[in-house]
Amino acid sequence: MNRLSLTLSRGVAQVTGVALGPYQSAVIRIGFAGTWLLFLLREFPHRHELYGPTGPWGWNLAKQLTDDNHAFTALLWSDGRLWFELCYTLAVLASAALVLGWRTRTASLLFMVGVLSLQNRSVFIGDGGDNVLHLMSIYLVFTRCGQVWSLDARRAARAAAARARGERVPADLVGPVLWAVLGLALGTATLTGRFDNGRLIPVLLWTVWAGLGLWWAVGRWAARPEPRLLLDVIANVLHNGALAVIMAEACLIYATAGWYKVQGSRWQDGTAVYYPLHLDYFSPWPGLADLMSSSGTIMMIVTYGTVMVQVAFPFTLFNRRVKNALLVVMMAEHAVIAVVLGLPFFSLAMIAADAVFLPTSFLRRLGDLAARARGRLARSTGRAVPAPRPTEESTADHVGFTA
């Protein structure tokens, strides 16, 4: 009984005392935000046809659909071209800010608003990768995904180093300004009745906004450390819970896809992969598709292998070596899908979801390689680069106001 109690107490202390998976949360932040950013930039010339007021899925049709399913989209607050351009630009900027880890908390909130607004405006645009981005944009709001590999982490590390040297750190002004602007925007939208299509998103936005204000007020004026420690515990629990949900979501995607494939006759006879290779919509490289499908053995191996990997993956989480091997196989498979079937953004979204299971040691080595490459590039251009400060947990969420 004492051993069980000790194990439980250690588990509770770990879940409440530390934001787990700092590198995993950082890589999925970069992966999902980068995927959405690349998609928005690639479709920039076609944005009006996809999501704008001149698209085939008109404003009135979208309004009728959202009135029925209560989906949130800020694009339906106005049917003007200027409002659409403003929303699209803000979606691009929020994605770029989240990739860089600049004001991660506010950026993740605006990233979610941008994803939901565009996707719910034209629900028939996109593929399965959009569904993954849709869900993950909501989950990322609850994570502390700026602990490493972010401008927030670098700013916090510099502030901590300055304090250690006895220097005075100037007060953060950008964070409170962003918080005030966000509050003004939320207040205006609420008072003008824009949030009349559902309560989930406005409640989430107001809750996060109030939490950011409370975090800043406690960090600046609290005389005792207990209030800040309590907020840290709440933030850690939310982060760890959201990270667990992201992992469960990825497992659910593969498990359901695998078991549905098992029931299909074409997957059972080993010919299912052959057919999409010969659809014009999924054949950007017809010669490559013909080369792959020319061998019945290859088609059978790929078909059966896909089913086995997807069904088996959730069970391999109990064995680290097997899990890592299957991660390599699945990421390679998605890379092939991106090239052969012409689905780059679907593949990038799935690779980003897979990245949550990557081992910390590998991600650290990857970060070290990136830092060395950056140093060599800076030396070749004659610029000085500060030495990296590798830390397991950044103080980005513990210094200043990182709204």
Side-chain angles (χ1 to χ4, degrees):
M1 188 65 181
N2 291 335
R3 182 178 299 178
L4 178 61
S5 300
L6 183 60
T7 302
L8 290 175
S9 63
R10 287 177 178 175
V12 171
Q14 189 174 26
V15 170
T16 59
V18 178
L20 302 173
Y23 292 94
Q24 286 79 4
S25 58
V27 77
I28 62 175
R29 181 200 85 225
I30 296 171
F32 288 121
T35 299
W36 184 241
L37 176 62
L38 290 175
F39 175 79
L40 294 179
L41 294 178
R42 182 207 175 192
E43 300 299 341
F44 187 82
H46 315 290
R47 63 192 184 280
H48 297 117
E49 290 77 15
L50 293 176
Y51 303 110
T54 61
W57 186 250
W59 191 87
N60 290 328
L61 288 174
K63 186 66 175 175
Q64 293 176 23
L65 181 61
T66 54
D67 287 342
D68 182 60
N69 61 15
H70 304 290
F72 168 82
T73 171
L75 284 178
L76 294 182
W77 293 354
S78 171
D79 59 353
R81 184 181 295 269
L82 179 60
W83 176 249
F84 168 76
E85 297 291 356
L86 178 62
C87 291
Y88 199 94
T89 302
L90 287 177
V92 171
L93 295 177
S95 302
L98 193 58
V99 169
L100 298 174
W102 184 80
R103 306 291 167 172
T104 312
R105 291 172 179 164
T106 299
S108 64
L109 202 66
L110 296 177
F111 174 74
M112 178 195 71
V113 171
V115 170
L116 297 183
S117 295
L118 289 170
Q119 290 189 356
N120 290 334
R121 168 61 178 84
S122 298
V123 294
F124 300 109
I125 299 296
D127 47 41
D130 290 347
N131 296 330
V132 177
L133 276 170
H134 194 103
L135 293 172
M136 297 303 176
S137 66
I138 299 175
Y139 301 152
L140 280 175
V141 173
F142 298 95
T143 64
R144 305 178 82 168
C145 54
Q147 297 178 92
V148 295
W149 298 348
S150 67
L151 296 179
D152 287 347
R154 187 176 69 171
R155 184 179 69 252
R158 288 178 175 176
R163 287 191 179 90
R165 294 191 300 267
E167 300 175 2
R168 182 180 178 275
V169 178
D172 179 32
L173 298 178
V174 178
V177 170
L178 283 176
W179 181 80
V181 171
L182 184 61
L184 179 62
L186 285 175
T188 302
T190 302
L191 293 176
T192 56
R194 302 300 182 181
F195 293 127
D196 60 348
N197 209 28
R199 296 183 179 181
L200 176 61
I201 297 301
V203 167
L204 176 59
L205 293 174
W206 277 113
T207 301
V208 175
W209 180 82
L212 289 174
L214 179 62
W215 189 283
W216 175 78
V218 168
R220 187 173 181 85
W221 289 306
R224 298 174 61 85
E226 287 81 3
R228 187 53 185 264
L229 292 176
L230 176 61
L231 293 181
D232 268 335
V233 168
I234 295 174
N236 290 336
V237 171
L238 290 174
H239 166 89
N240 296 329
L243 205 59
V245 170
I246 291 173
M247 293 179 177
E249 188 71 41
C251 291
L252 186 62
I253 290 172
Y254 283 117
T256 53
W259 285 110
Y260 272 112
K261 288 181 175 66
V262 168
Q263 302 174 45
S265 58
R266 294 293 176 263
W267 291 96
Q268 293 174 7
D269 61 26
T271 62
V273 176
Y274 174 86
Y275 296 99
L277 292 175
H278 292 81
L279 294 175
D280 292 338
Y281 186 78
F282 295 111
S283 299
W285 312 99
L288 181 59
D290 292 339
L291 179 63
M292 292 185 61
S293 61
S294 62
S295 172
T297 303
I298 293 179
M299 289 293 95
M300 184 180 64
I301 292 175
V302 173
T303 301
Y304 288 152
T306 299
V307 174
M308 288 187 290
V309 167
Q310 291 183 347
V311 172
F313 177 72
F315 302 99
T316 64
L317 299 182
F318 301 101
N319 189 300
R320 183 176 302 177
R321 292 183 178 179
V322 178
K323 180 261 295 182
N324 292 339
L326 283 188
L327 275 178
V328 174
V329 173
M330 290 191 301
M331 288 183 173
E333 180 184 15
H334 288 304
V336 172
I337 291 174
V339 176
V340 178
L341 297 182
L343 296 171
F345 300 107
F346 165 78
S347 298
L348 285 175
M350 292 308 303
I351 290 174
D354 295 341
V356 74
F357 299 104
L358 289 173
T360 301
S361 58
F362 170 77
L363 293 176
R364 282 179 173 175
R365 287 195 296 268
L366 189 64
D368 292 340
L369 289 174
R372 286 197 290 269
R374 174 172 169 265
R376 286 194 295 267
L377 179 62
R379 286 192 295 269
S380 66
T381 57
R383 293 182 300 175
V385 178
R389 300 179 179 89
T391 56
E392 175 64 24
E393 297 172 34
S394 167
T395 55
D397 289 323
H398 302 277
V399 178
F401 184 82
T402 56

